[in-house]
Amino acid sequence: LNEIRHTLTADDKKYQIGFIAILFPILYAILDGAGTFLDGIYLDELKLISEDNALLAYEFTFAICAFIIFLYLHFCKGVTVNPFKEGTRISAAIFETIGQFFYVFAMAGNAIISAPMIASYSIFSILLSRIFLKEKLSKSQYAVVALVILGIIMLGLSEEL
């Protein structure tokens, strides 16, 4: 195995990293989609959990994860974390909490319409990267963006009819 590893060329390593760079977002999308589907079932279809309880469950989960990461950083890595010097991360946590609040109530109100609209963040990320980062998009990429936006509009209008 070590002989094979040492014989990899720079192109081979580039393709391995490229494969991982494609694989992780796909796995994230699958897990996120499954979670959103289950959120819709629990909050909208079966009403198994109230919005307040769902928010508490999300926030306690995030708090437990933050505590575990803090312990890991402090005891395993020897890093001291001062929350007053983490303005960007604190801001991100606040915006995540606000987003979670709107997500839960949107999913509880009408998951069939909310889920595709919430999932469209990736399309808006593409458009914002084109505007602010000057990313180049091909005609087929623009066509896919237009189709997704059209689909979201059709979902919204179908609910009104």
Side-chain angles (χ1 to χ4, degrees):
L1 185 63
N2 284 335
E3 292 175 17
I4 295 171
R5 193 174 294 141
H6 292 296
T7 60
L8 292 176
T9 65
D11 284 339
D12 293 336
K13 290 179 183 178
K14 178 179 75 172
Y15 290 123
Q16 284 180 339
I17 292 171
F19 175 74
I20 291 171
I22 297 293
L23 179 66
F24 282 151
I26 290 171
L27 290 175
Y28 172 78
I30 290 169
L31 288 174
D32 188 48
T36 302
F37 172 75
L38 292 174
D39 286 340
I41 297 294
Y42 278 83
L43 289 167
D44 188 25
E45 291 296 318
L46 301 177
K47 306 267 188 221
L48 294 176
I49 187 170
S50 71
E51 292 92 340
D52 296 337
N53 288 339
L55 285 169
L56 286 172
Y58 281 124
E59 297 311 320
F60 281 132
T61 301
F62 289 136
I64 290 167
C65 290
F67 183 69
I68 291 169
I69 291 169
F70 173 78
L71 291 177
Y72 173 75
L73 288 173
H74 186 73
F75 292 110
C76 296
K77 295 291 186 178
V79 176
T80 57
V81 178
N82 183 352
F84 298 107
K85 293 183 179 179
E86 302 293 338
T88 304
R89 290 183 177 102
I90 297 295
S91 298
I94 290 168
F95 282 118
E96 172 65 28
T97 302
I98 292 168
Q100 201 65 50
F101 177 82
F102 287 107
Y103 169 84
V104 166
F105 283 99
M107 291 299 287
N110 192 344
I112 292 173
I113 298 300
S114 300
M117 295 177 104
I118 291 167
S120 68
Y121 73 88
S122 58
I123 294 299
F124 289 102
S125 295
I126 291 169
L127 293 175
L128 292 174
S129 70
R130 173 65 183 111
I131 294 168
F132 294 110
L133 301 176
K134 308 294 186 233
E135 294 280 337
K136 301 294 182 202
L137 298 175
S138 68
K139 289 180 182 178
S140 61
Q141 289 170 323
Y142 278 117
V144 169
V145 168
L147 282 173
V148 170
I149 291 172
L150 182 66
I152 292 168
I153 292 169
M154 288 171 52
L155 276 171
L157 291 176
S158 71
E159 187 64 21
E160 293 296 320
L161 300 175

